[in-house]
Amino acid sequence: QQQVKQSPQSLIVQKGGISIINCAYENTAFDYFPWYQQFPGKGPALLIAIRPDVSEKKEGRFTISFNKSAKQFSLHIMDSQPGDSATYFCAANDYKLSFGAGTTVTVRA
Amino acid sequence: NAGVMQNPRHLVRRRGQEARLRCSPMKGHSHVYWYRQLPEEGLKFMVYLQKENIIDESGMPKERFSAEFPKEGPSILRIQQVVRGDSAAYFCASSPPGTGAQPQHFGDGTRLSIL
């Protein structure tokens, strides 16, 4: 069964807008929550990650919000750019990664 | 500073043949993971290896699939007697040693096509 649930499946945002992707998990043994960005024909690239003792982490235009009690975390992409058009995967790690199903983000110029 | 290197990038096999996929981890990384990505799906864990040891192979099919990470050389994922359902992208990731979960970095994968 899917250990990490990710939504939405796809989203379209205008250039300069905010993209928001949500994930939820059940297994409390997970202790590391990375987000990966994948372009067609390439491998997943580590974008940003958070550990459960932190509620928010920001790196440039990318922010992770983490709610330990709700077992939910989300990725916000601020000032979205056409180059951000890609598939984004959330994941949860207890030494091996359990991935969400992915969100295809399209940024319209 | 090379990242995770996988080869070949594309591999075509006929049903019944063997497929060998190679992965060289990042420098300093001693942990290797293999994941499979079926079309329009997310990535699924297959196996976790350290040098000369299989730590967790719970995601690997019981038959026809095997993996190794020898003392010298790359990690190898081997699929014997391939079938059409084995067509997928196979990704290798590596991580450094350390306490607790460590960031995993991925290669660009091997796209396996079965004729």
Side-chain angles (χ1 to χ4, degrees), chain B residues 19-84:
Chain B
R20 280 187 181 236
L21 288 60
R22 294 174 188 78
C23 169
S24 295
M26 287 179 69
K27 188 176 181 180
H29 287 193
S30 55
H31 299 195
V32 165
Y33 313 79
W34 287 92
Y35 295 85
R36 178 164 65 176
Q37 186 173 37
L38 294 167
E40 308 303 324
E41 290 189 18
L43 295 100
K44 304 291 186 191
F45 168 78
M46 298 182 75
V47 62
Y48 164 34
L49 309 107
Q50 296 178 20
K51 285 284 187 183
E52 299 184 281
N53 283 303
I54 297 174
I55 307 302
D56 180 350
E57 56 182 349
S58 61
M60 205 144 72
K62 293 289 186 285
E63 297 179 355
R64 302 189 297 107
F65 285 72
S66 62
E68 63 177 3
F69 188 17
K71 186 177 180 182
E72 302 290 338
S75 175
I76 305 288
L77 179 67
R78 181 183 179 204
I79 311 172
Q80 295 179 289
Q81 298 176 322
V82 296
V83 301
R84 288 254 169 88

Side-chain angles (χ1 to χ4, degrees), chain A residues 31 36 41 43 51 95-97, chain B residues 9 33 35 56 101 104 108:
Chain A
D31 63 353
Y36 286 87
R51 296 195 187 267
Y95 72 85
K96 63 189 180 192
L97 289 167
Chain B
R9 291 295 314 278
Y33 313 79
Y35 295 85
D56 180 350
Q104 295 184 25
D108 280 336

